[in-house]
């Protein structure tokens, strides 16, 4: 329970609410106490000023302090404070509690001198003791306590409402997360048809879309993998069956073990070796363990060498191959064997898909600090729906298993991995019925 996301959300929101309300209560409490303190001090000041005035007027009318005691007692009862009045000789002439009358008064704190404007010296002193705690029931502190209780109740109610709202919101937020978890579990068990139906435009909606996109990719990759297994099995079966047939025929004496038979067996072994090499290269490239021996190379020489290797096949098929190289191409920091492999794959791919009488053009140009190499053909082109997947492993535009055109679906994937391992990029432009152009870039040597 404590590890669930819903519990963590509730705990986090509860902590935020409590901290917020606690901070608000603290500052309001401090501000209220300060205001009440100032209000009480102001009231005390007004009371003292009023009593000073009343006492001065009384003395002015009477000429002495005779009869002042009842007034002082009344003030003491009214304000709930001990009040003492002394004459000019510090003899108590009035005491609200009546215990110090006629005695000399020696207070711990100074009083308020009674000095009317028309008198040259003080006629007496007024002493007002502080209000004992809780003595004045009409004090603003009572209001403060009521406000504090009201605020506390309101805060508890706010916490309860906030927790309820948080619980409902957390359930709403976690519903798609739970759906995502369940769907991911089904996906992990091999059901790649699972999708999440959540159309919110927020972060969870983006997460659902990303998950659905991932599921689509996994489903497509699984289909490609299965096709690849079938294709590889077919590609292995055909040469192995031929080799076995030749060997059985030689063993039975049906076929003579002459040069022609050995050449046929050699061709089948070459096909097997090529497929195994492709699989090994792809495995190393995808694992990031492909070792490159880089050095400054002339791309023009690599292009001419690659074209020369397929020239015989092109002539036999009546396909023209043209090389167009810019003058003074800079050297590139590449592994010549791997880049020759890329050119070989692209040239063979172009030759396989270019009909009789067609043309292949190989160009090389400098683009800033890179060299751009392109292989264009006038073949049948690639359907637009296949273009996004043309460099994915196991993918073949020609779904047939013909050796001439189908292949294993690894050549372009290997070419992309090799180019990217050199820090370049590869892309394709194609129009159905008009041909294709594969272009890759390589970094210029420093």
């Amino acid at each position: 329970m404590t590890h669930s996301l819903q519990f963590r959300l509730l705990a986090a929101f509860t902590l935020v609410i409590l901290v917020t309300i606690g901070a608000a209560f603290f500052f309001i409490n401090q501000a209220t106490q300060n205001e009440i303190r100032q209000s009480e001090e102001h009231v005390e000041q007004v009371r003292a000023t009023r009593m000073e005035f009343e006492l001065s007027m009384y003395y002015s009318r009477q000429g002495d302090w005779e009869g002042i005691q009842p007034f002082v007692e009344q003030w003491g009862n009214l304000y709930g404070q001990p009040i003492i009045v002394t004459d000019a000789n510090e003899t108590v002439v009035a005491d609200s509690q009546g215990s110090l009358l006629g005695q000399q008064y020696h207070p711990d704190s100074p009083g308020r001198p009674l000095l009317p404007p028309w008198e040259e010296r003080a006629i007496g002193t007024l002493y007002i003791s502080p209000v004992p705690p809780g003595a004045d029931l009409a004090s603003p502190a009572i209001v403060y306590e009521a406000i504090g209780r009201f605020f506390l109740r309101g805060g508890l109610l706010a916490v309860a409402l906030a927790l309820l709202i948080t619980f409902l919101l957390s359930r709403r937020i976690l519903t798609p997360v739970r759906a995502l978890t369940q769907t991911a579990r089904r996906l992990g068990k091999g059901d790649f048809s699972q999708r999440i139906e959540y159309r919110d435009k927020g972060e969870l909606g983006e997460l659902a879309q990303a998950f659905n996109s991932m599921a689509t990719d996994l489903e497509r990759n699984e289909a490609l993998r299965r096709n690849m297994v079938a294709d590889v099995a077919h590609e292995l079966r055909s040469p192995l069956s031929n080799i076995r047939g030749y060997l059985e025929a030689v063993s039975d004496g049906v076929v003579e073990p002459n040069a022609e038979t050995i050449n046929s067996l050699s061709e089948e072994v070459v096909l097997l070796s090529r497929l195994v090499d492709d699989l090994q290269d792809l495995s190393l490239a995808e694992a990031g363990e492909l070792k490159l021996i880089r050095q400054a190379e002339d791309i023009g020489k690599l292009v001419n060498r690659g074209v020369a290797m397929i020239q015989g096949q092109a002539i036999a098929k009546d396909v023209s191959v043209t090389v167009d190289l810019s003058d003074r191409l800079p050297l590139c920091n590449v592994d010549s064997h791997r880049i020759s492999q890329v050119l070989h794959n692209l040239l063979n791919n172009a030759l396989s898909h270019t009909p009789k009488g067609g043309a292949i053009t190989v160009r090389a140009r400098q683009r800033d600090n890179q060299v751009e190499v392109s292989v264009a053909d006038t073949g049948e082109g690639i359907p637009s729906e296949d273009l996004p997947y043309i460099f994915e492993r196991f993918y073949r535009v020609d779904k047939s298993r013909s050796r001439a055109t189908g292949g294993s679906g690894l050549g372009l994937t290997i070419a992309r991995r090799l180019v990217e391992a050199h820090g370049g990029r590869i892309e394709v432009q194609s129009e159905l019925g008009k041909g294709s152009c594969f272009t890759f870039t390589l970094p210029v040597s420093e």
Side-chain angles (χ1 to χ4, degrees):
M1 176 65 181
T2 58
H3 296 289
S4 69
L5 182 57
Q6 185 173 21
F7 176 80
R8 294 179 182 179
L9 284 174
L10 285 172
F13 281 124
T14 302
L15 180 61
V16 170
I17 292 166
L18 291 177
V19 169
T20 302
I21 292 180
F25 181 79
F26 173 78
F27 288 112
I28 290 176
N29 176 65
Q30 294 297 319
T32 304
Q33 285 186 347
N34 186 52
E35 289 295 327
I36 289 177
R37 189 180 304 110
Q38 293 180 0
S39 176
E40 290 179 341
E41 290 176 356
H42 178 70
V43 170
E44 291 289 338
Q45 183 67 28
V46 171
R47 286 178 182 175
T49 303
R50 181 179 177 183
M51 282 189 281
E52 286 180 19
F53 177 77
E54 293 289 341
L55 289 171
S56 297
M57 292 299 295
Y58 182 89
Y59 188 88
S60 177
R61 288 194 303 268
Q62 294 291 116
D64 56 23
W65 293 111
E66 187 72 26
I68 193 63
Q69 176 64 20
F71 294 99
V72 173
E73 289 181 357
Q74 184 179 6
W75 287 340
N77 293 331
L78 177 63
Y79 301 133
Q81 294 174 277
I83 300 172
I84 294 174
V85 179
T86 63
D87 59 14
N89 299 321
E90 294 298 327
T91 302
V92 177
V93 296
D95 180 8
S96 62
Q97 296 179 339
S99 59
L100 299 176
L101 287 174
Q103 300 180 21
Q104 287 293 116
Y105 188 58
H106 304 286
D108 296 331
S109 58
R112 303 174 67 91
L114 301 175
L115 184 62
W118 54 86
E119 294 288 343
E120 295 182 356
R121 61 186 184 86
I123 60 175
T125 306
L126 172 65
Y127 297 95
I128 304 175
S129 300
V131 180
D136 188 0
L137 298 180
S139 172
I142 303 300
V143 179
Y144 165 72
E145 293 179 2
I147 293 175
R149 288 194 297 270
F150 176 79
F151 187 82
L152 180 60
R153 293 170 185 170
L156 293 175
L157 179 60
V159 169
L161 291 175
L163 289 177
L164 177 61
I165 295 173
T166 300
F167 176 76
L168 297 176
L169 286 177
S170 64
R171 289 190 60 183
R172 178 179 175 81
I173 293 172
L174 294 177
T175 296
V177 175
R178 292 193 182 99
L180 179 64
T181 303
Q182 295 175 359
T183 305
R185 288 173 180 169
R186 297 192 191 102
L187 196 67
K189 293 179 180 179
D191 185 2
F192 296 105
S193 63
Q194 293 295 316
R195 299 293 184 273
I196 297 177
E197 296 295 332
Y198 190 76
R199 305 190 181 280
D200 189 85
K201 294 183 179 179
E203 288 80 0
L204 288 176
E206 293 179 1
L207 177 61
Q209 292 179 4
F211 181 87
N212 290 339
S213 177
M214 179 194 69
T216 301
D217 292 339
L218 289 174
E219 186 176 22
R220 184 175 66 252
N221 288 337
E222 178 64 14
L224 292 175
R225 186 190 65 80
R226 290 174 180 173
N227 291 337
M228 170 59 183
V229 171
D231 291 342
V232 171
H234 175 79
E235 294 295 329
L236 290 173
R237 187 182 299 112
S238 296
L240 287 174
S241 297
N242 291 338
I243 292 172
R244 180 178 180 181
Y246 276 117
L247 292 176
E248 287 179 352
V250 171
S251 177
D252 293 340
V254 178
V255 176
E256 292 293 331
N258 51 27
E260 182 181 355
T261 303
I262 293 175
N263 288 335
S264 298
L265 290 171
S266 178
E267 289 179 2
E268 300 299 337
V269 171
V270 168
L271 289 173
L272 283 174
S273 298
R274 185 179 304 164
L275 179 59
V276 171
D277 289 343
D278 285 348
L279 289 171
Q280 184 180 19
D281 287 342
L282 181 60
S283 175
L284 290 173
E286 292 189 339
E289 299 178 356
L290 194 64
K291 295 181 179 179
L292 300 177
I293 304 175
R294 295 192 184 190
Q295 58 184 9
E297 296 286 350
D298 186 345
I299 294 299
K301 290 183 179 180
L302 296 180
V303 170
N304 287 325
R305 190 186 306 162
V307 170
M309 292 179 65
I310 67 157
Q311 197 66 256
Q313 301 176 51
I315 293 173
K317 195 175 178 181
D318 192 21
V319 173
S320 66
V321 182
T322 305
V323 177
D324 181 9
L325 303 176
S326 294
D327 295 335
R328 297 181 180 179
L329 281 174
L331 299 179
C332 292
N333 185 29
V334 297
D335 184 326
S336 59
H337 172 68
R338 295 302 184 182
I339 296 305
S340 295
Q341 188 177 353
V342 173
L343 286 168
H344 178 75
N345 283 340
L346 295 180
L347 288 169
N348 273 283
N349 184 68
L351 188 60
S352 298
H353 294 85
T354 302
K356 182 179 180 181
I360 298 174
T361 304
V362 184
R363 293 186 176 87
R365 299 281 187 274
Q366 182 177 2
R367 295 284 187 270
D368 298 328
N369 60 341
Q370 293 183 324
V371 171
E372 183 181 89
V373 182
S374 64
V375 178
D377 62 63
T378 57
E380 67 268 18
I382 303 172
S384 58
E385 63 270 16
D386 291 316
L387 282 176
Y389 316 113
I390 196 69
F391 292 107
E392 292 188 5
R393 62 184 185 273
F394 316 141
Y395 195 85
R396 299 184 309 169
V397 175
D398 187 349
K399 303 303 187 293
S400 70
R401 292 192 175 97
S402 169
R403 289 186 189 176
T405 59
S408 62
L410 297 176
L412 292 178
T413 305
I414 293 174
R416 184 186 68 174
R417 295 292 185 183
L418 292 176
V419 170
E420 291 176 349
H422 282 82
R425 70 180 188 281
I426 187 169
E427 56 188 19
V428 60
Q429 294 178 340
S430 184
E431 187 174 350
L432 199 60
K434 294 186 178 181
S436 305
C437 180
F438 287 84
T439 304
F440 65 92
T441 60
L442 297 170
V444 172
S445 176
E446 297 180 359

